[in-house]
Amino acid sequence: MEVIIKQDAAAVAQVAADIFADYIKQENVVLGLATGSTPLAMYQELIRRHKEEGLSFAHARAFLLDEYIGLPRDHEQSYYRTIRNEFTDHIDIDDSVVLSPDGLAENPTEAGKAYDKAIAEAGGVDIQLLGIGTDGHIGFNEPGSSLVSRTRMKTLHPQTIKDNARFFPSAADVPIHVLTQGLGTITEARHLLLLATGEGKAEAIAATVEGPVAAFCPASVLQLHPHATVLIDEAAASKLQFAEYYHYAYDHKPTWQRP
Ligand code: PGA
């Protein structure tokens, strides 16, 4: 696992955009997208590069991590709509290849299986963007999620509902159930890029990077991945014991390995 610590959220967004842009330039790239507040600055930067520098997404396909169960696609807070509003409507990706789990499926178990199959048939995800919840979730894999789980229905932790209530009229309007890529699904992506900013994520980041690999902190599964990058700001890094070493390793990274 590589840990990159940048001064603030703006610097994190720049480096994340550099890493993502390298993949976008590849033919037939499969992107793994995430919703939430954290990736927004990176999406803004990629949109700017598309509009001002000609960065093209015409050959890209994209799979979203998760979706609320029961929200219609055109609901402002469905992730189907959110990813379009925040990102994909502003670039030249073909809308029909921006896929997300079907939160309205009558049979969520079958919908989960179908989603995993679609990812596999696309050749797998090249780079998967990840946020992290204050409880260590990635996607919507809450504590206790099997480290080898597949796309399936999950029940949100009350803390996640509280965290996400800011997007809804009230916490009572946040769906309780979701369809999320499993940890086994997520870790099949060839490169995982986890972003976190702000002090509120510091404990979850410490558990992810320096705690045991355990379903207690689902993001700790990144420790088992051969190519995982944890890109965070100083505030999110504030509880890491080896922060100085991570800085040192990054500063001494051979130039050919840099994004
Ligand atoms: P956030 O959400 O980026 O809005 O903090 C992250 C997550 O819950 O995965």
Side-chain angles (χ1 to χ4, degrees), residues 45-57 90-92:
E45 174 60 13
L46 290 173
I47 292 166
R48 188 197 66 74
R49 291 184 195 189
H50 167 66
K51 294 199 163 136
E52 294 175 16
E53 296 167 12
L55 180 67
S56 176
F57 297 74
H90 309 283
I91 54 175
D92 60 345

Short mmCIF file of all heavy atoms in Angstrom, two decimals, residues 45-57 90-92:
data_model
loop_
_atom_site.label_atom_id
_atom_site.label_comp_id
_atom_site.label_asym_id
_atom_site.label_seq_id
_atom_site.Cartn_x
_atom_site.Cartn_y
_atom_site.Cartn_z
N GLU A 45 -11.72 18.98 -11.30
CA GLU A 45 -10.44 19.15 -12.00
C GLU A 45 -10.43 18.35 -13.32
O GLU A 45 -9.94 18.84 -14.34
CB GLU A 45 -9.29 18.72 -11.07
CG GLU A 45 -7.91 18.70 -11.69
CD GLU A 45 -7.41 20.04 -12.24
OE1 GLU A 45 -8.03 21.08 -11.94
OE2 GLU A 45 -6.42 20.04 -13.00
N LEU A 46 -11.00 17.16 -13.31
CA LEU A 46 -11.05 16.36 -14.54
C LEU A 46 -11.97 17.02 -15.57
O LEU A 46 -11.69 17.01 -16.77
CB LEU A 46 -11.51 14.93 -14.24
CG LEU A 46 -10.50 14.07 -13.47
CD1 LEU A 46 -11.13 12.73 -13.09
CD2 LEU A 46 -9.23 13.83 -14.28
N ILE A 47 -13.07 17.60 -15.10
CA ILE A 47 -13.98 18.32 -16.00
C ILE A 47 -13.23 19.51 -16.62
O ILE A 47 -13.30 19.76 -17.82
CB ILE A 47 -15.24 18.80 -15.24
CG1 ILE A 47 -16.09 17.59 -14.82
CG2 ILE A 47 -16.06 19.78 -16.08
CD1 ILE A 47 -17.17 17.91 -13.78
N ARG A 48 -12.46 20.21 -15.79
CA ARG A 48 -11.68 21.35 -16.30
C ARG A 48 -10.68 20.87 -17.37
O ARG A 48 -10.56 21.46 -18.44
CB ARG A 48 -10.92 22.03 -15.15
CG ARG A 48 -10.24 23.33 -15.54
CD ARG A 48 -9.19 23.80 -14.56
NE ARG A 48 -8.02 22.92 -14.47
CZ ARG A 48 -7.07 22.84 -15.40
NH1 ARG A 48 -7.12 23.59 -16.48
NH2 ARG A 48 -6.07 21.99 -15.25
N ARG A 49 -9.99 19.76 -17.09
CA ARG A 49 -9.01 19.25 -18.06
C ARG A 49 -9.71 18.81 -19.35
O ARG A 49 -9.15 18.93 -20.44
CB ARG A 49 -8.21 18.09 -17.46
CG ARG A 49 -7.28 18.54 -16.34
CD ARG A 49 -6.42 17.40 -15.83
NE ARG A 49 -5.82 17.77 -14.55
CZ ARG A 49 -4.87 17.07 -13.93
NH1 ARG A 49 -4.43 15.94 -14.46
NH2 ARG A 49 -4.39 17.46 -12.77
N HIS A 50 -10.93 18.29 -19.21
CA HIS A 50 -11.69 17.91 -20.40
C HIS A 50 -12.01 19.16 -21.23
O HIS A 50 -11.78 19.19 -22.44
CB HIS A 50 -12.98 17.19 -20.00
CG HIS A 50 -13.96 17.06 -21.12
ND1 HIS A 50 -13.69 16.29 -22.23
CD2 HIS A 50 -15.17 17.64 -21.33
CE1 HIS A 50 -14.71 16.40 -23.07
NE2 HIS A 50 -15.61 17.20 -22.55
N LYS A 51 -12.51 20.20 -20.56
CA LYS A 51 -12.97 21.40 -21.28
C LYS A 51 -11.81 22.24 -21.79
O LYS A 51 -11.88 22.79 -22.89
CB LYS A 51 -13.87 22.24 -20.36
CG LYS A 51 -15.16 21.49 -20.04
CD LYS A 51 -16.28 22.37 -19.54
CE LYS A 51 -17.60 21.61 -19.65
NZ LYS A 51 -18.45 21.74 -18.50
N GLU A 52 -10.75 22.34 -21.01
CA GLU A 52 -9.67 23.26 -21.37
C GLU A 52 -8.48 22.58 -22.03
O GLU A 52 -7.75 23.20 -22.77
CB GLU A 52 -9.19 24.02 -20.13
CG GLU A 52 -10.25 24.95 -19.57
CD GLU A 52 -9.83 25.61 -18.27
OE1 GLU A 52 -8.62 25.59 -17.94
OE2 GLU A 52 -10.73 26.13 -17.57
N GLU A 53 -8.30 21.29 -21.74
CA GLU A 53 -7.09 20.63 -22.25
C GLU A 53 -7.40 19.43 -23.15
O GLU A 53 -6.50 18.70 -23.55
CB GLU A 53 -6.21 20.19 -21.07
CG GLU A 53 -5.68 21.39 -20.26
CD GLU A 53 -5.07 20.98 -18.92
OE1 GLU A 53 -4.84 19.77 -18.69
OE2 GLU A 53 -4.82 21.89 -18.11
N GLY A 54 -8.66 19.21 -23.41
CA GLY A 54 -9.03 18.15 -24.35
C GLY A 54 -8.93 16.73 -23.81
O GLY A 54 -8.92 15.77 -24.57
N LEU A 55 -8.86 16.57 -22.49
CA LEU A 55 -8.84 15.22 -21.93
C LEU A 55 -10.16 14.53 -22.30
O LEU A 55 -11.23 15.01 -21.97
CB LEU A 55 -8.69 15.30 -20.39
CG LEU A 55 -8.64 13.97 -19.65
CD1 LEU A 55 -7.37 13.19 -19.99
CD2 LEU A 55 -8.72 14.18 -18.13
N SER A 56 -10.03 13.40 -23.02
CA SER A 56 -11.25 12.76 -23.54
C SER A 56 -11.56 11.45 -22.83
O SER A 56 -10.68 10.63 -22.58
CB SER A 56 -11.11 12.50 -25.03
OG SER A 56 -12.25 11.80 -25.49
N PHE A 57 -12.85 11.28 -22.56
CA PHE A 57 -13.35 10.07 -21.91
C PHE A 57 -14.14 9.22 -22.91
O PHE A 57 -14.86 8.31 -22.52
CB PHE A 57 -14.27 10.45 -20.74
CG PHE A 57 -13.60 11.21 -19.64
CD1 PHE A 57 -13.24 12.54 -19.79
CD2 PHE A 57 -13.31 10.59 -18.43
CE1 PHE A 57 -12.63 13.25 -18.78
CE2 PHE A 57 -12.69 11.29 -17.41
CZ PHE A 57 -12.35 12.62 -17.59
N HIS A 90 -20.77 16.18 -17.62
CA HIS A 90 -19.91 17.32 -17.97
C HIS A 90 -18.67 16.90 -18.76
O HIS A 90 -17.78 17.71 -18.99
CB HIS A 90 -19.49 18.05 -16.69
CG HIS A 90 -20.67 18.39 -15.82
ND1 HIS A 90 -21.52 19.44 -16.12
CD2 HIS A 90 -21.17 17.79 -14.72
CE1 HIS A 90 -22.48 19.48 -15.20
NE2 HIS A 90 -22.29 18.48 -14.35
N ILE A 91 -18.59 15.61 -19.11
CA ILE A 91 -17.46 15.11 -19.91
C ILE A 91 -18.03 14.37 -21.12
O ILE A 91 -19.26 14.29 -21.27
CB ILE A 91 -16.55 14.19 -19.06
CG1 ILE A 91 -17.38 13.06 -18.42
CG2 ILE A 91 -15.80 15.01 -17.99
CD1 ILE A 91 -16.57 12.03 -17.67
N ASP A 92 -17.14 13.82 -21.97
CA ASP A 92 -17.64 13.22 -23.21
C ASP A 92 -17.79 11.70 -23.13
O ASP A 92 -17.74 11.02 -24.16
CB ASP A 92 -16.73 13.62 -24.40
CG ASP A 92 -15.29 13.16 -24.21
OD1 ASP A 92 -14.92 12.79 -23.06
OD2 ASP A 92 -14.53 13.18 -25.18
#
